[in-house]
Amino acid sequence: MLNRPGLFGALLVLQVVCAVFFVSDILLSLLRIPVDPVPWRYRELMEVGAAIGLVLGITVAALMLRASRQRTRAAERALRAASGAFMDLVEERFEEWGLTPAERDVALFALKGLSIAEIATLRQTSEGTVKAQTNAIYRKAGVSGRPQLLSLFVEDLMGQAVPVAAA
C-alpha cells in the first residue's frame, strides 16, 4: 500500500470527504441552518457511502501499520545481525593480530571514535600508555592509523578487502 502513493492519496481524500459530510451534517443541525431537503433514499445512500469510506480508511490504515511494524522488525533483526557480524569480525581480527586484552580494549574504543584522552580516562591510565598501545595495535594490524584500521573492518563487511601497505 505504501508503494502506491496514488491509491493511498485517493483513500485519504475519500476519508476527508466522508468526515466532512458527517461533521457538516452535525454542525448544520446544531446551528439550525436550514438545508434544502434531500430525499431520504439519497440521504441514506450518502450516509452509508460515507460510513463505508471511513471503515475502508481505518482498514487500510491498520494494514499499513501492520506492514510498517513488520518492516521495522525486519530492519531491527538485520541491524542486530549486522552488529553481531561486526563484533564477530572484530574478535576474529583481534585474535588474528594477537592483541593483548588491554590492546583489545583500546582498539574497541578507537573503533568507536574515542580520542586518546578519552580512552585514557576510561581506562584510568596515562595518555602515553594509550598512545603506545594504539601504535602496537596499528603495527600488528599492518596499518598506519585509525582510519586505515577502521577501513579494514568496513572492507571486510563489504566483502571487498583491499590490501593495505604496511607502515
Side-chain angles (χ1 to χ4, degrees):
M1 179 62 59
L2 285 176
N3 56 357
R4 297 183 186 164
L7 180 58
F8 177 71
L11 284 172
L12 186 61
V13 168
L14 176 65
Q15 275 193 294
V16 169
V17 168
C18 295
V20 166
F21 171 77
F22 281 122
V23 171
S24 66
D25 188 42
I26 291 169
L27 283 176
L28 290 173
S29 295
L30 285 174
L31 299 174
R32 300 181 192 264
I33 298 174
V35 179
D36 292 334
V38 177
W40 66 271
R41 286 184 184 168
Y42 295 128
R43 178 98 180 142
E44 284 184 356
L45 285 175
M46 288 173 17
E47 288 177 356
V48 167
I52 289 172
L54 291 173
V55 169
L56 182 62
I58 290 169
T59 303
V60 169
L63 291 172
M64 290 176 68
L65 178 62
R66 186 173 127 213
S68 176
R69 286 182 141 180
Q70 288 173 343
R71 280 192 307 278
T72 299
R73 280 193 292 272
E76 287 172 348
R77 281 193 300 271
L79 181 60
R80 279 194 303 274
S83 177
F86 181 74
M87 286 310 296
D88 290 345
L89 178 64
V90 166
E91 287 301 321
E92 182 181 308
R93 284 293 190 136
F94 288 178
E95 189 71 30
E96 185 180 303
W97 297 333
L99 298 184
T100 66
E103 290 170 342
R104 287 173 183 252
D105 287 346
V106 170
L108 277 175
F109 288 136
L111 288 173
K112 290 180 180 182
L114 276 65
S115 69
I116 300 281
E118 291 169 326
I119 296 170
T121 301
L122 286 171
R123 299 204 69 246
Q124 298 178 342
T125 187
S126 72
E127 289 185 30
T129 301
V130 173
K131 285 179 185 177
Q133 289 169 327
T134 56
N135 286 331
I137 293 164
Y138 299 153
R139 181 180 39 76
K140 290 177 180 181
V143 298
S144 62
R146 188 185 306 215
Q148 283 184 338
L149 180 68
L150 184 56
S151 74
L152 289 176
F153 294 104
V154 172
E155 289 165 357
D156 280 349
L157 286 174
M158 293 172 56
Q160 302 171 350
V162 177
V164 178

